[in-house]
Amino acid sequence: MSKDISTELMSVCKRRGYIWPSFELYGGVAGMFDYGPLGTSMRNNILEAWRNIYKVREGFIEIDSETINPEDVFKASGHVEQFSDYMVNCTECQLPFRADHLVGNFCENPDTMSPAELEKAFRDFNIKCPECGGELGKIEDFNLMFKTTIGPGSSRIGYLRPETAQGIFVNFQNLYRYNREKLPLGVIQTGRGYRNEISPRQGMIRMREFNMMEVELFVNPEDKSWPRFSEVQNGELTLLPNDTDKTVTMTVAEAVDKGVIANPVLAYFVYTTKQLLERVGIDTEKLRFRQHLKDEMAHYAADCWDAEVLLSYGWTEITGIADRGCWDLSRHSEFSGADLSHFEMFDEPKEMTFKKVVANHKKLGPAFKEKAKDIASALESETEDNIFDNKITLNINGERIVLTDEYFEVREVTEKVNGKRVIPHVIEPSYGLDRIFYSVLEHSYFNDEKRGYSIMKLVPGIAPIKVGIFPLMDKDGLDVLAKKIFADVHSSETPAYYDDSGTIGKRYARMDEVGTPWCVTVDYDSLKGPNKGTVTIRERDTGDQKRIPADDVAGVIRQLINGKEFSTL
RNA sequence: GCGAUUGUAGUCCAGCGGUUAGGAUUGGGGCUUCCCAAGCCUCCGACCCGGGUUCGAUUCCCGGCAAUCGCACCA
């Protein structure tokens, strides 16, 4: 496939109302696109297909959180550190470098230095380009998050979220309680994310403001099975594991058994992703799952697979499916101080016998007065190991207090333990909606030499318009019947398009170009003769026509959308 | 961010230091029993933005913005 395809396709998309580059009136802004009427419909259809799988089939719960987040969230998530680098370009060879890395051998804590300090260090230590020895240019702040302030003044820093995931993590306690404190807990969210890309390229593939469909599945770290795994175990996957450079085809069960994919739940959602992409019209011949390379994987990720599709731009990531371990919840727990763990009940309570330090309140009270309460609670968290010479040394609000054994006793107790606390692990299938949208268009786009124009072979479920309805001529009562059918179809909640302009061929062509799967035409036979009361229905991809009763159009279209074969009409 | 190429109706392309800026196609209206972009008539629609040179710039020069490609970055 040549580069021209994307140019041609974007031209059709712009002309027909799928996609418009944003702000063209004012010269345009790179990496930003608006969805036109047809694009908006199709995008909603893809989103609905995704919801049908995750919300309906899997029973996950959906939320909608803020796009502007306070700085704390991204400090915890690591984005503040990870997305903010000082960069410097060599003035000779133009290669960019992390400024803090260059001064690493000369300065303490280079990552805390300001741009001015870094530039001073370049001069002081005579640091040159490590590649060619050229002079280094001026330092630039390289922040991929859009920064803003919340409220008046500039004290409260906020960022536009670079992913929707954090909105789920910061709501973990609410979600966990909503789910009645049970795992697995599947949560989904769609919405926009923002990254101030340095150099957006490849049209809709790298956007500065983009739409995501994210799933965060919280599971017990010790149980990465999945109840419906058996339903997909024989499904085939095209995989590109990170220890080889060629793709292998194997079943889901094989991938897990051979340890290619780390665990069943991850494998299940890799296959789910294939199901979704196929359903919305991705050509599975041009789909593969590539495992992240060891050094490419985030340090916390246990395993990560990207769904990649072959586009005119080359293999392009459109979905990432990662086992993020306990990283996200641990970080938010650490930064917020909140308990984000799950209480895992044992199958049967365990009797555990251990030695416990018990405070003697009767003695403590009179001896320590108002300090007694703090001392007692500190005592009870002590263990036998800290008793030396029958004494325990405590640190109460900075004061060192030594207690003899008249103030406590060590008792052997037997307690029933019902379970333990664990930090859930996160399985994250994260879908780039705009990339999927574009990929569907590219995989559906065919330049039909015979017809002399392009066809968009969208799957019916995704097509923004399901049926075009035309009177052969805009007179003689043909228009009356056509308008009635149009109203019928709309009454059955099926998007249709009425067209009475120009010649019939032109109207078919228009519908083919935007991907409408069927067209219905009212002709003179519809009004009189043996075919009275029937109309023609035409299939987009073949051009084949059948006659069906005019009254049945709405019903037939619904059947066709639901998968009935056109040839059986 | 660097380099190369480019920027004219919705789309594709032509052109020029002084033009009513040209064509094709799309789009609107009309005619035609009109089933695969048929034909005829008719109408609407553009020189990316800002400076400079010049009597005069859509055209030449500089800068910006945007696009395509390569490098880098990002995932």
Side-chain angles (χ1 to χ4, degrees):
Chain A
M1 199 180 289
S2 75
K3 287 282 174 203
D4 297 341
I5 292 294
S6 61
T7 311
E8 267 178 47
L9 176 58
M10 281 313 278
S11 169
V12 172
C13 284
K14 202 174 156 187
R15 212 152 26 85
R16 294 299 187 190
Y18 271 96
I19 282 293
W20 297 319
S22 300
F23 313 112
E24 273 201 309
L25 188 64
Y26 290 104
V29 177
M32 295 189 174
F33 294 89
D34 293 337
Y35 283 84
L38 294 183
T40 303
S41 289
M42 183 170 126
R43 195 187 67 187
N44 288 344
N45 292 342
I46 293 173
L47 202 111
E48 221 32 58
W50 175 84
R51 266 204 191 97
N52 266 325
I53 287 186
Y54 283 102
K55 197 171 182 174
V56 181
R57 188 182 88 186
E58 300 298 337
F60 291 1
I61 56 182
E62 180 171 13
I63 64 162
D64 186 29
S65 70
E66 290 282 337
T67 60
I68 295 172
N69 292 207
E71 190 170 37
D72 290 339
V73 173
F74 298 118
K75 279 185 173 163
S77 72
H79 285 96
V80 168
E81 216 176 311
Q82 192 188 325
F83 276 62
S84 301
D85 297 327
Y86 290 120
M87 299 298 295
V88 62
N89 281 68
C90 170
T91 56
E92 304 282 331
C93 67
Q94 307 306 338
L95 287 172
F97 301 96
R98 286 270 298 268
D100 54 339
H101 288 180
L102 293 179
V103 301
N105 294 334
F106 305 94
C107 306
E108 299 279 324
N109 298 323
D111 50 351
T112 63
M113 292 170 74
S114 71
E117 288 168 335
L118 287 162
E119 280 176 353
K120 184 168 180 293
F122 290 160
R123 289 192 302 274
D124 292 351
F125 299 106
N126 196 31
I127 297 170
K128 303 287 186 203
C129 170
E131 285 298 318
C132 73
E135 282 295 327
L136 295 167
K138 91 173 183 289
I139 290 184
E140 289 174 38
D141 189 4
F142 209 69
N143 196 332
L144 255 59
M145 285 197 292
F146 286 99
K147 198 172 193 171
T148 186
T149 51
I150 301 172
S154 55
S155 53
R156 195 86 203 257
I157 295 171
Y159 295 96
L160 273 72
R161 64 184 180 193
E163 59 178 23
T164 63
Q166 298 308 322
I168 294 176
F169 298 136
V170 299
N171 270 302
F172 177 76
Q173 288 175 311
N174 294 325
L175 292 160
Y176 180 61
R177 214 169 298 133
Y178 176 87
N179 206 44
R180 292 163 50 210
E181 310 196 350
K182 282 186 293 216
L183 294 182
L185 163 60
V187 186
I188 66 175
Q189 173 162 225
T190 70
R192 298 210 177 206
Y194 307 81
R195 294 182 191 184
N196 202 0
E197 297 288 350
I198 310 144
S199 171
R201 284 295 165 86
Q202 302 172 321
M204 297 185 71
I205 298 304
R206 177 149 301 132
M207 288 165 68
R208 288 194 164 119
E209 180 172 341
F210 53 102
N211 294 278
M212 285 173 284
M213 306 184 291
E214 292 199 299
V215 181
E216 308 296 338
L217 174 60
F218 300 95
V219 299
N220 185 327
E222 284 155 23
D223 182 9
K224 292 191 178 175
S225 65
W226 192 248
R228 304 178 63 156
F229 183 79
S230 61
E231 290 175 33
V232 305
Q233 62 180 348
N234 295 321
E236 292 221 318
L237 289 170
T238 303
L239 302 173
L240 183 59
N242 64 14
D243 56 1
T244 168
D245 54 5
K246 42 179 196 271
T247 56
V248 289
T249 301
M250 61 179 80
T251 64
V252 178
E254 256 183 286
V256 173
D257 291 344
K258 292 182 179 169
V260 178
I261 299 179
N263 56 62
V265 64
L266 192 63
Y268 179 87
F269 287 101
V270 168
Y271 192 75
T272 296
T273 298
K274 181 185 172 181
Q275 290 175 316
L276 172 70
L277 294 175
E278 185 167 18
R279 196 170 296 176
V280 298
I282 293 292
D283 180 355
T284 51
E285 294 293 306
K286 297 177 185 166
L287 170 68
R288 71 181 186 192
F289 290 90
R290 186 178 69 83
Q291 187 176 34
H292 272 205
L293 302 173
K294 293 257 158 41
D295 58 356
E296 182 182 24
M297 230 177 288
H299 60 278
Y300 50 81
D303 196 8
C304 185
W305 291 81
D306 284 346
E308 296 186 330
V309 291
L310 187 57
L311 298 177
S312 56
Y313 304 117
W315 286 100
T316 306
E317 174 198 347
I318 59 173
T319 297
I321 308 138
D323 181 340
R324 298 170 67 112
C326 65
W327 199 79
D328 301 284
L329 289 181
S330 300
R331 289 279 292 193
H332 281 296
S333 182
E334 182 189 331
F335 278 68
S336 67
D339 177 14
L340 303 181
S341 66
H342 163 67
F343 186 73
E344 175 66 19
M345 293 278 278
F346 296 139
D347 292 339
E348 285 181 17
K350 292 178 186 171
E351 296 271 309
M352 292 181 84
T353 304
F354 54 95
K355 297 213 171 125
K356 193 177 175 184
V357 177
V358 179
N360 184 340
H361 294 278
K362 212 184 257 177
K363 293 269 184 188
L364 280 171
F368 293 97
K369 315 278 190 208
E370 73 276 3
K371 287 185 212 155
K373 198 179 173 195
D374 288 345
I375 291 170
S377 69
L379 258 181
E380 308 223 316
S381 62
E382 286 296 329
T383 63
E384 199 187 16
D385 305 342
N386 291 329
I387 302 172
F388 300 100
D389 295 337
N390 298 326
K391 286 179 201 149
I392 288 184
T393 305
L394 295 175
N395 186 333
I396 304 294
N397 299 327
E399 188 185 346
R400 189 161 170 273
I401 295 176
V402 180
L403 297 171
T404 56
D405 61 3
E406 65 178 301
Y407 294 105
F408 62 88
E409 62 177 303
V410 178
R411 254 187 243 161
E412 184 159 292
V413 294
T414 300
E415 277 188 5
K416 199 171 71 170
V417 179
N418 292 307
K420 60 175 177 178
R421 303 211 79 91
V422 292
I423 304 276
H425 279 200
V426 170
I427 306 294
E428 181 196 71
S430 171
Y431 299 82
L433 178 50
D434 315 281
R435 288 184 175 191
I436 293 172
F437 174 93
Y438 179 80
S439 304
V440 167
L441 287 177
E442 220 188 71
H443 284 186
S444 305
Y445 180 83
F446 292 89
N447 209 335
D448 192 314
E449 301 270 321
K450 252 200 253 170
R451 301 192 202 199
Y453 56 81
S454 64
I455 312 183
M456 204 80 82
K457 296 188 179 175
L458 298 174
V459 298
I462 293 307
I465 302 168
K466 310 302 183 193
V467 57
I469 294 167
F470 319 140
L472 188 62
M473 299 287 286
D474 190 26
K475 60 183 183 182
D476 302 330
L478 297 175
D479 54 326
V480 177
L481 180 54
K483 279 177 184 155
K484 183 187 171 294
I485 294 170
F486 182 57
D488 283 353
V489 172
H490 269 180
S491 296
S492 75
E493 298 182 2
T494 303
Y497 189 84
Y498 185 88
D499 193 351
D500 60 13
S501 76
T503 64
I504 192 72
K506 195 181 265 186
R507 287 178 256 166
Y508 286 142
R510 249 197 296 257
M511 288 293 98
D512 288 346
E513 204 173 36
V514 299
T516 304
W518 306 284
C519 291
V520 164
T521 301
V522 176
D523 59 12
Y524 284 93
D525 286 354
S526 307
L527 302 182
K528 56 177 186 257
N531 286 325
K532 187 173 177 203
T534 66
V535 294
T536 64
I537 180 165
R538 166 189 178 272
E539 188 182 43
R540 175 192 63 207
D541 298 350
T542 58
D544 291 349
Q545 282 193 341
K546 307 250 183 193
R547 289 200 83 91
I548 58 170
D551 291 341
D552 292 354
V553 170
V556 167
I557 296 297
R558 293 236 58 95
Q559 289 174 349
L560 289 168
I561 293 170
N562 290 330
K564 188 178 172 73
E565 288 288 324
F566 184 83
S567 57
T568 64
L569 288 180

